[in-house]
Amino acid sequence: MTSRLTLTINNRTQQHLVADGTLLVDFLRDQMGLTGTKQGCDGGECGACTVLVDGKPRLSCVTLAHSVAGQSVETIESVAENGRLSRLQAMFHERLGTQCGFCTPGMIMAAEGLLRANPNPDQAQIKTALSGNLCRCTGYVKIIESVEAATNHG
Amino acid sequence: MSAPLEFTLLHPANLTEAVKQMQAHPNARLLAGGTDLVPNLRRGIGAPDTVIALGGIDTLNSITETASHVEIGAGVTLAGLLASNLPTRFPALQAAAEIASPSIRQAATIGGNLCLDTRCRFYNQSQWWRKANQFCLKLDGDTCHVAPKGKRCHATFSGDLAPALLVLGAEIRVENAQGGRWQPLAQLYNEDGLDHLTLAKGDLLVAVRFPTSETRRSGYLKSRVRRAGDFPLAGVAVALTRTGDKITDLRVAATGTNSAPLLFDDFADVIGQPLSDAALTQINKRIGQAIKPMRTTNQPGLYRRQMVAALSKRLISTLYEQGAN
């Protein structure tokens, strides 16, 4: 069955007809064309599909689109400010926190969720916040350094 | 694009409506956080016509406290539980911080973790993988690949919160069309991987509670392959009271070993004694006789058996050394 879904995507409230069983990641990528959000393991294990729902990180591959009705979804496309990389994105670029780039949108959204809740996380808190996000390139050290550099004390 | 799941999604606004819809659609699946159900459905594990989403029922989402009980709604998320002061006051509940990953804990619920489907390496696989393996007793097949000569499914219960709540003496609230009842949490489970919950069709788990007066020292330890996002190879929760240098009360619960979480509270030979190596051996002997870790994970059952003994020894010793209550 297809039903009406009202939600806010990247600060714009909108309404769409969405099949009941549609995953949030498929809705974002295929119906909204927001392909920045990646589909990795497809089972909630890798974190590549992380988006923010009401400011908190959620995995869009194990979330039904209709489960976030009335809520605010933010994807990697919303992070840049006025066409310029956000501080967090810039730090991933400068500190080599991204290599192949597939995990990066998920890493950045998970880190963004952390920094909003706690602008001054220590390294242990960063590691915990990113513990559900897998990266097969960097070895994680550069990613953690990138997030650290984006904190107030970084 | 992955094919959309084919079902009708219902959104009851309150408990009465939810119970009615469950009666009207007896084969419907319940959706809370969806972090267990959705990946399973995507792997062809179940194909319900109807899914009932419980997210809109506000009464399931609160933590309340009276003089007698702390009550946690089944819809409270793991992140919500961790944001409360309960894990500090009742440390066994820090088990919630060991479940999955932070993003999953934002969605996953207490009720969902207590009702978590049993897991097995022959079951939590894609449709084509299971088909190539002639399916299994738990779904679409007739042989349990873990114990081919056995008659039952050995899939393992892997929830982390159940042992923590068991040692805190928790009860659950179950509602259905006839009304509601409180029952001990231990009675929620069956030792059968195929049918591990005692909930009847139409029964809805709505809350869990435990005594506010709970003062035992408690904790939870978990063994797993990956530090985050992984189910337990073995998990042990302990609650104990130490009076002077004697243990005067002891409860241990284990998960990840059987098709149900197990509670042990009959340690008569240890009660009234100081903790010693002999007492720990005695305790682990009692637990070791009941647990049955089988080949349901890639790690051998013997390893998980040894982990239960190591974790319970470490946790009991740590809590005992914290001093008298």
Side-chain angles (χ1 to χ4, degrees):
Chain A
M1 210 173 91
T2 298
S3 336
R4 197 179 296 274
L5 169 64
T6 307
L7 79 173
T8 301
I9 302 173
N10 295 341
N11 299 316
R12 289 177 67 179
T13 302
Q14 38 200 294
Q15 242 183 26
H16 299 277
L17 283 175
V18 182
D20 284 5
T22 305
L23 298 174
L24 181 56
V25 66
D26 291 333
F27 169 69
L28 290 172
R29 287 179 58 87
D30 301 322
Q31 225 169 316
M32 295 292 96
L34 296 170
T35 52
T37 303
K38 303 300 181 216
Q39 188 162 25
C41 70
D42 201 15
E45 294 163 30
C46 80
C49 66
T50 307
V51 297
L52 298 185
V53 175
D54 284 349
K56 307 244 170 81
R58 286 274 290 273
L59 299 182
S60 59
C61 81
V62 293
T63 306
L64 296 183
H66 282 281
S67 292
V68 297
Q71 293 180 286
S72 165
V73 178
E74 291 167 79
T75 68
I76 187 69
E77 284 87 350
S78 72
V79 175
E81 294 151 357
N82 303 320
R84 307 178 73 129
L85 295 182
S86 72
R87 181 174 162 83
L88 184 58
Q89 286 176 308
M91 288 305 121
F92 266 73
H93 177 60
E94 275 179 29
R95 307 286 171 124
L96 307 178
T98 184
Q99 284 187 21
C100 90
F102 194 85
C103 75
T104 310
M107 286 286 179
I108 292 196
M109 296 319 281
E112 176 74 22
L114 168 69
L115 294 180
R116 283 194 202 173
N118 174 8
N120 274 312
D122 59 28
Q123 203 182 77
Q125 288 166 322
I126 295 171
K127 283 185 178 173
T128 303
L130 299 183
S131 60
N133 293 69
L134 295 183
C135 170
R136 301 286 82 157
C137 306
T138 63
Y140 301 102
V141 173
K142 294 290 175 192
I143 291 176
I144 290 158
E145 285 176 3
S146 303
V147 179
E148 262 186 317
T151 61
N152 283 348
H153 58 76
Chain B
M1 180 182 175
S2 37
L5 300 164
E6 303 286 346
F7 52 71
T8 301
L9 192 61
L10 302 178
H11 301 272
N14 53 51
L15 269 184
T16 321
E17 224 175 281
V19 168
K20 255 191 206 152
Q21 290 175 351
M22 288 169 71
Q23 255 190 320
H25 306 277
N27 292 319
R29 295 298 305 268
L30 300 177
L31 175 80
T35 55
D36 187 38
L37 180 68
V38 173
N40 278 354
L41 293 180
R42 301 259 297 137
R43 289 171 169 172
I45 294 177
D49 293 332
T50 308
V51 170
I52 302 175
L54 303 172
I57 307 176
D58 289 339
T59 50
L60 295 179
N61 298 335
S62 57
I63 299 178
T64 51
E65 189 165 342
T66 64
S68 64
H69 287 96
V70 176
E71 187 175 323
I72 308 170
V76 171
T77 62
L78 302 177
L81 173 63
L82 289 167
S84 76
N85 65 12
L86 298 178
T88 314
R89 292 164 57 204
F90 309 98
L93 294 179
Q94 282 164 12
E98 307 301 317
I99 298 169
S101 61
S103 313
I104 287 182
R105 294 197 289 269
Q106 292 292 344
T109 64
I110 309 298
N113 196 258
L114 289 177
C115 295
L116 193 73
D117 194 6
T118 51
R119 301 182 61 82
C120 177
R121 63 178 175 152
F122 295 104
Y123 172 67
N124 297 96
Q125 301 286 356
S126 63
Q127 173 80 12
W128 67 260
W129 192 105
R130 286 182 288 113
K131 187 178 177 190
N133 203 39
Q134 280 87 52
F135 296 107
C136 76
L137 186 59
K138 186 160 164 70
L139 187 67
D140 300 334
D142 49 18
T143 305
C144 173
H145 301 299
V146 170
K149 288 180 183 163
K151 289 201 167 52
R152 78 168 183 91
C153 163
H154 290 274
T156 307
F157 180 76
S158 305
D160 292 287
L161 270 183
L165 285 162
L166 281 171
V167 298
L168 294 176
E171 297 174 299
I172 52 165
R173 174 87 183 162
V174 177
E175 303 231 354
N176 54 33
Q178 284 74 48
R181 62 175 190 270
W182 285 102
Q183 65 177 58
L185 172 60
Q187 288 176 16
L188 175 62
Y189 301 104
N190 270 328
E191 178 64 12
D192 180 354
L194 200 55
D195 184 22
H196 73 300
L197 296 178
T198 57
L199 295 175
K201 278 208 190 306
D203 279 354
L204 178 61
L205 168 64
V206 299
V208 58
R209 72 175 183 188
F210 54 88
T212 313
S213 58
E214 172 61 53
T215 56
R216 282 168 295 203
R217 295 191 186 283
S218 69
Y220 177 73
L221 288 178
K222 170 176 178 177
S223 158
R224 59 195 142 175
V225 176
R226 201 181 142 195
R227 272 293 296 279
D230 217 349
F231 291 94
L233 293 174
V236 174
V238 172
L240 66 78
T241 308
R242 175 177 167 178
T243 311
D245 64 350
K246 296 190 175 78
I247 294 178
T248 44
D249 189 43
L250 176 64
R251 287 182 192 177
V252 182
T255 188
T257 61
N258 291 48
S259 295
L262 303 178
L263 173 66
F264 305 92
D265 53 5
D266 47 348
F267 296 106
D269 37 0
V270 176
I271 300 300
Q273 309 287 328
L275 188 66
S276 60
D277 285 347
L280 284 169
T281 306
Q282 194 66 27
I283 292 164
N284 273 331
K285 192 173 165 193
R286 164 84 190 83
I287 298 169
Q289 284 164 349
I291 60 171
K292 281 192 189 128
M294 308 277 282
R295 289 173 56 242
T296 55
T297 63
N298 289 335
Q299 288 64 38
L302 177 63
Y303 174 78
R304 285 152 62 210
R305 173 173 290 280
Q306 289 167 334
M307 284 312 299
V308 170
L311 295 178
S312 73
K313 189 174 170 183
R314 185 182 304 167
L315 188 52
I316 292 169
S317 307
T318 307
L319 295 174
Y320 179 81
E321 280 156 21
Q322 286 173 4
N325 294 53

